[in-house]
Amino acid sequence: MASSAKKVASSFSGQTLTHFGGLVLLQRFFHRLGLRRLLTRSIGLTQRNNRYSLSESLLALLSPIRLGLGRIESTRLLKHHGVFQYLTGLPIYPDPQTLRRFLGRFGEAGLADFLALHDRLRLQMLSHPRPPTTLVLDLDSTVLTVYGRQEKAEVGFNPKKRRRPSYMPVLCVEGQTGDCWAAEYYPGNTHIATATVPLWEAAWAKAPSDIRTLRVRADSAFYDHEIIEALEPRQAGYTIVARMTRPFQQRVTTAWYRRAGRSVSLAEFSYQPQGWPGPRRFVAVRRPVPEEPSWQLTLSRMGDYLYRAIVTNLELTPLHVWRFYNDRAEAELLIREMKEAYALGKIPTGDWQANRASFQLVVFAYNLLNFDDALSG
């Protein structure tokens, strides 16, 4: 196994630096973490290609993800980038087809070990510098449209490309650290409750023993009684945005509101949505329609007001329920960053296991940089 550079002088005074300029800092963190050793010792996958070790193949995929190169074909330029190969210690950068074949084998036989390693690192970082007592899990999902014949891509809810097949990643973000605490890949027609319940249960199962309080936040995509019924027996506090069905709109608009600020009024009431096993507590916020329509993107307009409602079991005042939910923005920013900077939307192959493995590598690459920021701070 070739070794990467260990002593490199760094200077950021140049005027023509490319986006490869930060790679030396990334490699320093990999050394500090002992990432090569961890990958080699933790993943029981035998390499067919003797030219590249397991850790070299994984780093050959992780580095361009972090550099934002997008599609695997875009990594061809790294075959002729001597500085990149010197920093990473690769003998020569693998061909795109070699990387695709490796992704398929890795997804089939190595991904479970890789996810276990990721869990250990995540737990280690969450407990730095001391273990928390509260875990805040923010749920979010997105749609990744596909244009070829990718395995298990199905037609489901796709607001931008209707009737196009897609994949549906679902992520669970720790709201205090910004780490992606759990993530999974699903066909585009998967019901949200089918995807969410096992995901958050897996996230809760790997929480530190010091955790005494669990809270969950989610947008209206997760407004489903099956999800709420899974949370309540675990005594998990939740705030989930309600969907504005016609009967619910009537209840929201006729509630008694109390002013909580210059242009915000809040109300709380008990309501049993159709098909739910019982009533739940709801907190609603009302704002006058502004001259600038920025709030219309997130609130429902009815008459002269914009409304949003949250179902919750937290024993907080309506104002504090609203403020607690609004801190959830980290999850939405994470998905946006993964799409724009980590090429989350670039589907690398037609094989399901390879694409799922690529998704988990994107999540790992994001968390590695988040870990670096936490340790540096």
Side-chain angles (χ1 to χ4, degrees):
M1 179 191 300
S3 60
S4 57
K6 296 180 173 59
K7 294 183 179 180
V8 179
S10 302
S11 174
F12 296 92
S13 58
Q15 300 300 313
T16 58
L17 293 176
T18 69
H19 57 296
F20 295 147
L23 183 61
V24 62
L25 301 180
L26 180 63
Q27 291 304 120
R28 283 180 180 176
F29 177 62
F30 286 177
H31 281 305
R32 181 181 178 186
L33 199 62
L35 186 59
R36 279 176 176 261
R37 183 181 67 257
L38 287 172
L39 292 172
T40 301
R41 293 180 177 178
S42 302
I43 303 174
L45 174 65
T46 302
Q47 276 286 72
R48 298 177 184 176
N49 188 336
N50 293 327
R51 191 171 192 179
Y52 303 101
S53 67
L54 172 68
S55 63
E56 287 172 341
S57 296
L58 287 172
L59 289 174
L61 287 164
L62 286 169
S63 295
I65 287 173
R66 184 60 192 97
L67 294 173
L69 289 182
R71 299 185 182 278
I72 286 183
E73 285 81 1
S74 302
T75 64
R76 288 183 184 274
L77 62 92
L78 298 178
K79 292 175 67 71
H80 310 288
H81 199 291
V83 174
F84 176 87
Q85 294 175 28
Y86 172 69
L87 290 174
T88 58
L90 293 171
I92 187 172
Y93 194 80
D95 183 80
Q97 191 58 32
T98 300
L99 292 176
R100 285 196 180 88
R101 288 196 295 265
F102 171 76
L103 267 178
R105 296 194 304 273
F106 176 65
E108 288 282 353
L111 188 57
D113 290 342
F114 176 79
L115 294 177
L117 169 62
H118 193 178
D119 287 342
R120 292 197 301 273
L121 288 174
R122 189 187 287 114
L123 187 60
Q124 177 183 340
M125 296 303 166
L126 181 70
S127 301
H128 176 82
R130 58 182 178 275
T133 58
T134 299
L135 194 67
V136 180
L137 300 180
D138 294 336
L139 301 172
D140 209 347
S141 64
T142 190
V143 175
L144 303 180
T145 304
V146 302
Y147 296 94
R149 295 183 177 179
Q150 284 84 352
E151 186 180 6
K152 291 193 178 183
E154 301 289 349
V155 177
F157 174 72
N158 192 336
K160 294 184 178 180
K161 299 286 184 178
R162 296 183 179 181
R163 294 184 294 277
R164 291 294 312 180
S166 62
Y167 291 134
M168 184 183 72
V170 181
L171 298 96
C172 185
V173 181
E174 209 294 307
Q176 300 166 106
T177 64
D179 296 342
C180 187
W181 191 248
E184 193 49 89
Y185 214 51
Y186 298 95
N189 63 348
T190 306
H191 188 274
I192 193 64
T194 302
T196 303
V197 172
L199 181 72
W200 91 261
E201 286 184 343
W204 175 236
K206 57 192 176 189
S209 58
D210 304 270
I211 298 296
R212 296 194 296 268
T213 304
L214 171 65
R215 292 183 173 180
V216 177
R217 300 181 290 208
D219 63 18
S220 59
F222 299 87
Y223 181 65
D224 189 286
H225 70 88
E226 293 183 32
I227 295 175
I228 288 175
E229 288 176 64
L231 292 171
E232 290 175 337
R234 301 292 183 90
Q235 297 182 336
Y238 57 81
T239 55
I240 301 175
V241 174
R243 283 194 289 271
M244 290 289 180
T245 62
R246 190 174 297 276
F248 188 61
Q249 288 179 10
Q250 182 178 4
R251 183 67 185 91
V252 168
T253 56
T254 57
W256 183 75
Y257 286 83
R258 176 177 296 176
R259 179 166 294 184
R262 184 176 177 181
S263 60
V264 177
S265 298
L266 294 164
E268 62 177 320
F269 52 87
S270 180
Y271 179 76
Q272 182 175 353
Q274 184 177 0
W276 288 36
R280 298 295 191 277
R281 182 194 180 204
F282 287 81
V283 170
V285 62
R286 183 180 72 182
R287 291 175 177 267
V289 176
E291 294 182 6
E292 296 293 331
S294 59
W295 278 90
Q296 295 184 34
L297 298 176
T298 55
L299 300 182
S300 299
R301 178 172 180 173
M302 289 173 273
D304 294 330
Y305 293 96
L306 300 171
Y307 294 88
R308 174 178 276 186
I310 294 172
V311 60
T312 184
N313 63 348
L314 294 178
E315 296 180 357
L316 300 175
T317 66
L319 179 60
H320 285 91
V321 168
W322 179 245
R323 286 176 174 172
F324 173 70
Y325 175 79
N326 282 341
D327 287 339
R328 177 188 163 273
E330 185 74 32
E332 295 179 356
L333 293 175
L334 183 150
I335 285 184
R336 184 185 307 171
E337 183 176 359
M338 283 187 175
K339 284 185 172 181
E340 295 177 357
Y342 291 79
L344 174 61
K346 309 299 183 183
I347 312 300
T349 76
D351 179 73
W352 164 254
Q353 290 294 352
N355 292 337
R356 180 170 172 256
S358 177
F359 166 68
Q360 294 294 347
L361 286 171
V362 168
V363 174
F364 186 69
Y366 171 85
N367 272 348
L368 280 179
L369 269 293
N370 207 44
F371 297 161
D372 190 15
D373 291 342
L375 290 176
S376 300

